[in-house]
Amino acid sequence: PDDEGATTPITSDGEDYTVHSNGSLSVLDTQREDEGRYRVVASNNVGRAEEEVEVQLVRHKEEWSEWSPCSAECGGTRTRSRTTCDDDNTSDGSPKCASQDEVEKCGVGECPGFSDWGAWGACSKECGYGSKKRERVCDNPPPPKGSGLECEGLAVEKTVCYLKRCPERVNGDWTEWGAWSDCSVPCGTGTQRRTRTCTNPAPSGGGATCEGSGHESRSCSLKPVCRRKVSTDSWSTWSECSAACGGGTQTRGRECSEKGECGENQVRDCNTRDCARDYSREGAMDYPRSRDRGRNRDPAPLRLTKKTVGSEVKVPFKVRVGRYDVCLLGDIVPGQSYTLLDTPNVQIYGVLREDGSYSSITVFSGNESLALHSLDPPTRTRVGAVNLRRRRGRVVLSGVEEGLFKITLSPGINLRVEEIDDEITGILGTLQSLSRASEVVVKKKKTFIQVRNTGYRLTQSDDCLWMSDSKHHSRLLNSLDRFLDDNQ
């Protein structure tokens, strides 16, 4: 009914109403005009009843929705929303409703960022195509501590660079062989030598060096039989090498102290390294300066007895005899180079300190050499016929051809012989021969070293057995002057 009590019957379904079979009414889409008083009439076969009710639309405001996930780990946002309806209607009479959103910041804070790019570095190649790079740092701002966040993007950027065109690659080639040298001896069988150089053309632009040897030799004989007197003078000193590189020769001679045809000369190779190679670059052969001139490496150099220079001192040499270490004192001159090992194709020299360690070890084999002044990892694994390898902080040297040996260098530089052939000479060969010819014997609580049927009393001191009588040391070792390197 309206305000005046007049009623508008609803007897059938409409757009906004549904009349059920039992006479009940459903309002489908409530509008403002649907508010008011309704007379509800219900009837059945028992009777009829009616009631007036007041219908009032209730405006509502929804609760906030859950927050959305944060849009980023740092510097992100999240949102939530809800819908509210006012009492005022729109022009078509429907409730006036609106959606409301709320936004807030989330994450660990401001995201880390890179600084500006630094300047480009130098090109990796002096000619041809190379690369260069530039860098930037993640500190603008830096990542929050403990956040685990990192800057997005690259910290290093590379690009191609080109400075100039590379020179043409030229492989080296040999010159013609030079003339044969004079025969090395005036009588009997001697040697002639001739050389060639890798300069026709010399390698350039990264080209390959020549393959093969820069020198060769052949036998010669001027007179088949030499007539000689018994007495001769001492050998003269070696001459200067005939070439700075590429293979030269040195000569020395001696004459008879009496008249006759007994004079003779000796010739040896020297400075056999290839002239075309740049030995100042990394990976080149490491020739000590004191050996650059006059070093004969193939065949093994001739040995000269040389008087000591400076004051001799007693230096301990450890000899392994069975399960015992026996220490012998030898007279050496500190700072002088001694021949430690000499085979047909390998020579090893050492400069001894007063405590028996070495300040340097130098290995020669064929036309190659390597000087070890510390136990830093060797840059090469082989020098001629010698293998080099590092094991547990030590350097192991071993022969791979005629004259086998195995030597371990420990920090210091201390040297230990693991194995060595009987034919090898030098200080180490002498010590090895003494080791094999000796036996340590204990009789009635006294210890002796038995050497070639002679016994010497030993006493224990530190980790070594020492001879009780000091004069016996030189008797077993003899003079070590014969192992002085005559070419140092």
Side-chain angles (χ1 to χ4, degrees):
D2 55 19
D3 294 338
E4 298 178 355
T7 61
T8 303
I10 301 174
T11 59
S12 62
D13 294 342
E15 292 182 1
D16 302 324
Y17 307 97
T18 298
V19 179
H20 300 285
S21 59
N22 65 354
S24 62
L25 175 67
S26 292
V27 181
L28 301 179
D29 187 10
T30 58
Q31 303 293 331
R32 169 71 86 175
E33 60 267 20
D34 292 325
E35 290 185 324
R37 295 171 60 227
Y38 285 77
R39 179 179 294 167
V40 181
V41 178
S43 63
N44 56 23
N45 57 2
V46 178
R48 182 176 183 277
E50 64 179 62
E51 183 74 28
E52 286 190 6
V53 295
E54 183 75 22
V55 175
Q56 184 177 7
L57 296 179
V58 178
R59 309 302 180 198
H60 67 281
K61 181 181 291 185
E62 294 181 354
E63 296 295 329
W64 286 106
S65 64
E66 295 292 333
W67 286 105
S68 66
C70 192
S71 62
E73 290 184 289
C74 57
T77 58
R78 63 179 183 173
T79 61
R80 65 178 181 174
S81 62
R82 65 180 178 179
T83 302
T84 58
C85 297
D86 299 332
D87 290 339
D88 297 333
N89 289 342
T90 60
S91 58
D92 60 359
S94 61
K96 188 176 182 181
C97 299
S99 178
Q100 183 179 4
D101 295 325
E102 190 173 56
V103 181
E104 71 175 10
K105 295 181 179 180
C106 59
V108 297
E110 188 177 3
C111 291
F114 281 109
S115 61
D116 293 335
W117 285 105
W120 286 103
C123 192
S124 61
K125 298 290 183 66
E126 294 181 358
C127 64
Y129 288 98
S131 64
K132 61 181 180 179
K133 66 179 181 179
R134 63 178 182 175
E135 300 178 355
R136 57 181 179 176
V137 182
C138 183
D139 62 355
N140 187 32
K145 291 184 179 180
S147 66
L149 296 176
E150 297 179 356
C151 290
E152 293 186 3
L154 298 175
V156 178
E157 186 178 41
K158 291 186 177 181
T159 188
V160 176
C161 55
Y162 183 93
L163 297 181
K164 62 181 179 180
R165 183 178 179 180
C166 289
E168 183 180 358
R169 178 187 176 92
V170 177
N171 294 330
D173 198 4
W174 294 108
T175 60
E176 296 294 329
W177 285 105
W180 287 103
S181 66
D182 295 336
C183 195
S184 60
V185 294
C187 56
T189 301
T191 303
Q192 285 181 295
R193 289 173 173 79
R194 65 177 183 175
T195 61
R196 60 180 179 175
T197 60
C198 187
T199 56
N200 185 36
S204 62
T209 188
C210 300
E211 295 184 0
S213 176
H215 55 91
E216 64 178 6
S217 59
R218 67 181 183 185
S219 299
C220 58
S221 177
L222 299 180
K223 294 181 180 180
V225 178
C226 294
R227 297 181 180 180
R228 304 182 56 181
K229 299 293 183 179
V230 176
S231 177
T232 60
D233 290 336
S234 299
W235 287 104
S236 64
T237 58
W238 287 104
S239 66
E240 294 292 330
C241 191
S242 62
C245 57
T249 58
Q250 287 177 287
T251 59
R252 68 175 182 176
R254 60 182 178 181
E255 298 178 354
C256 293
S257 58
E258 301 177 12
K259 294 182 179 180
E261 297 181 356
C262 62
E264 60 181 332
N265 294 315
Q266 287 183 336
V267 180
R268 67 180 183 184
D269 293 331
C270 57
N271 294 342
T272 57
R273 57 190 183 276
D274 192 346
C275 295
R277 297 184 181 179
D278 182 359
Y279 287 86
S280 65
R281 295 181 179 175
E282 183 179 359
M285 290 184 282
D286 188 7
Y287 283 90
R289 292 181 181 177
S290 63
R291 303 180 186 278
D292 277 351
R293 303 181 65 182
R295 167 58 65 191
N296 174 25
R297 302 278 29 108
D298 186 16
L302 299 172
R303 297 285 181 264
L304 294 177
T305 300
K306 182 176 180 179
K307 294 183 179 180
T308 59
V309 179
S311 301
E312 290 185 336
V313 297
K314 300 286 186 183
V315 171
F317 292 91
K318 186 177 290 187
V319 181
R320 189 70 176 177
V321 181
R323 60 188 182 91
Y324 299 95
D325 284 327
V326 179
C327 287
L328 302 175
L329 292 176
D331 294 321
I332 67 101
V333 179
Q336 295 292 303
S337 179
Y338 286 80
T339 303
L340 303 181
L341 182 148
D342 195 353
T343 77
N345 49 27
V346 177
Q347 292 80 42
I348 299 179
Y349 301 90
V351 178
L352 281 152
R353 300 189 182 101
E354 294 186 16
D355 62 357
S357 64
Y358 295 83
S359 60
S360 68
I361 298 289
T362 305
V363 181
F364 287 90
S365 182
N367 294 331
E368 300 182 49
S369 71
L370 178 67
L372 299 173
H373 301 282
S374 67
L375 294 189
D376 293 335
T379 58
R380 297 155 62 187
T381 59
R382 184 157 178 167
V383 178
V386 181
N387 279 337
L388 295 90
R389 63 188 180 93
R390 186 171 177 84
R391 183 180 65 183
R392 299 177 183 175
R394 296 176 172 87
V395 174
V396 179
L397 308 177
S398 57
V400 296
E401 296 178 4
E402 182 181 357
L404 298 180
F405 60 90
K406 184 177 180 181
I407 299 171
T408 299
L409 305 179
S410 57
I413 303 169
N414 292 290
L415 184 149
R416 183 181 184 88
V417 176
E418 306 292 345
E419 58 183 274
I420 189 170
D421 281 358
D422 292 334
E423 297 80 6
I424 292 178
T425 60
I427 291 180
L428 300 184
T430 298
L431 297 178
Q432 186 70 3
S433 298
L434 181 60
S435 171
R436 290 172 176 167
S438 305
E439 181 184 6
V440 173
V441 180
V442 180
K443 294 181 179 180
K444 297 181 181 181
K445 298 183 179 181
K446 295 182 180 180
T447 306
F448 299 85
I449 181 172
Q450 195 79 17
V451 184
R452 303 180 187 92
N453 300 322
T454 303
Y456 302 91
R457 178 76 182 275
L458 299 174
T459 58
Q460 181 72 43
S461 178
D462 298 328
D463 60 346
C464 213
L465 293 172
W466 295 80
M467 287 190 178
S468 302
D469 193 334
S470 59
K471 66 182 180 182
H472 293 154
H473 291 268
S474 58
R475 180 179 299 176
L476 293 182
L477 284 180
N478 297 319
S479 173
L480 297 180
D481 288 356
R482 68 189 187 277
F483 297 120
L484 269 169
D485 178 16
D486 58 298
N487 289 299
Q488 58 186 327

